[in-house]
Amino acid sequence: MSQDENLGDAVEPPQVQVRRSNRERQPSKWYSLNEYVILTDDGEPECFREAMESEEKRKWLDAMKDEMKSIHNNHTFDLVKLPKGKRALDNRWIYRVKHESNSTSLRYKAILVAKGYSQRKGVDFNEIFSPVVKMSSIKTVLSLASTLDLEVDQIDVKTAFLYGDLEEEIYMKQLDGFHVEGKEDYVCRLRKSLYGLKQAPR
């Protein structure tokens, strides 16, 4: 008998039965369906129109004015006529409700974001690297603080992205709700970085 004939007579291994659980699935006993909605949705507007139609309109306006104040204080842009052959990027407002630590109060925050996905390499941006700190540097600082009995503080720089100077010539449309009267056809010539720009992390 040949080897091929022996293989043909080989007994197939038995089929393994997959064990399925008979246990009924129970809904979570921690939170009701309504509580899940509350946990995941703070009622933040998706756009400027929604913010202006919401019950918290006044708070969102104050948040946008606060953002605009930071932008103007940092001389982030100049209003100019759009040069021929140039195009202006779109932008949008991002709205967030912040829960203050050790407090029950809420903070309403509006962030201006440029729609950098329409930027063109070599025209609107070149380098997009983001500098990062080495872990060895952090360990060195902490070990020095421990050895010399120093205190270490952590700070959050407000509007950190607005401090980076732009080398490229970038134009952006005026912001919803903040068009300058008499200069509606003007655009923003960006001098400093904004959230959303490809080179902003640089």
Side-chain angles (χ1 to χ4, degrees):
M1 185 179 290
S2 67
Q3 188 175 358
D4 291 340
E5 289 175 335
N6 283 334
L7 287 174
D9 294 337
V11 179
E12 291 186 6
Q15 293 288 330
V16 178
Q17 290 279 338
V18 179
R19 185 172 168 270
R20 305 277 183 192
S21 174
N22 297 330
R23 188 175 63 179
E24 286 186 25
R25 295 186 179 275
Q26 298 290 332
S28 171
K29 296 178 182 176
W30 287 14
Y31 303 105
S32 68
L33 183 61
N34 291 335
E35 288 174 310
Y36 273 117
V37 173
I38 291 171
L39 284 172
T40 58
D41 184 7
D42 281 321
E44 297 160 344
E46 292 292 325
C47 62
F48 177 77
R49 180 181 56 80
E50 282 189 20
M52 294 300 95
E53 292 174 355
S54 74
E55 295 178 359
E56 308 297 336
K57 173 183 175 179
R58 176 51 50 194
K59 293 177 180 177
W60 291 124
L61 272 173
D62 290 342
M64 286 187 284
K65 287 177 182 176
D66 186 50
E67 176 81 347
M68 287 301 295
K69 184 180 177 182
S70 296
I71 286 171
H72 285 304
N73 288 344
N74 286 297
H75 193 63
T76 304
F77 62 77
D78 297 320
L79 276 181
V80 299
K81 285 273 192 180
L82 184 65
K84 190 175 289 186
K86 297 288 184 180
R87 62 188 185 123
L89 300 176
D90 282 316
N91 58 66
R92 63 171 298 190
W93 287 104
I94 302 291
Y95 303 98
R96 291 290 176 263
V97 177
K98 301 276 187 175
H99 297 266
E100 299 286 359
S101 57
N102 303 323
S103 173
T104 56
S105 63
L106 301 176
R107 183 163 62 95
Y108 290 75
K109 187 170 177 62
I111 305 166
L112 175 63
V113 177
K115 295 185 178 180
Y117 55 78
S118 60
Q119 286 181 268
R120 294 169 295 183
K121 188 172 183 180
V123 178
D124 304 312
F125 73 95
N126 291 305
E127 297 174 325
I128 58 171
F129 67 88
S130 178
V132 293
V133 65
K134 286 186 176 180
M135 201 63 201
S136 57
S137 301
I138 297 175
K139 290 177 180 178
T140 302
V141 170
L142 293 177
S143 62
L144 283 171
S146 177
T147 304
L148 302 174
D149 196 25
L150 301 173
E151 291 185 2
V152 178
D153 282 334
Q154 176 188 347
I155 62 170
D156 180 24
V157 179
K158 188 180 180 182
T159 59
F161 272 40
L162 304 183
Y163 291 98
D165 292 321
L166 285 177
E167 300 168 0
E168 300 83 3
E169 188 178 345
I170 300 178
Y171 299 91
M172 183 184 73
K173 294 177 182 177
Q174 290 193 54
L175 296 59
D176 285 336
F178 292 89
H179 285 81
V180 177
E181 191 175 347
K183 294 185 176 180
E184 289 84 357
D185 58 336
Y186 279 49
V187 296
C188 306
R189 163 74 195 272
L190 296 181
R191 302 291 181 186
K192 300 286 182 72
S193 290
L194 278 179
Y195 289 100
L197 292 178
K198 289 184 180 292
Q199 63 267 59
R202 187 183 63 192

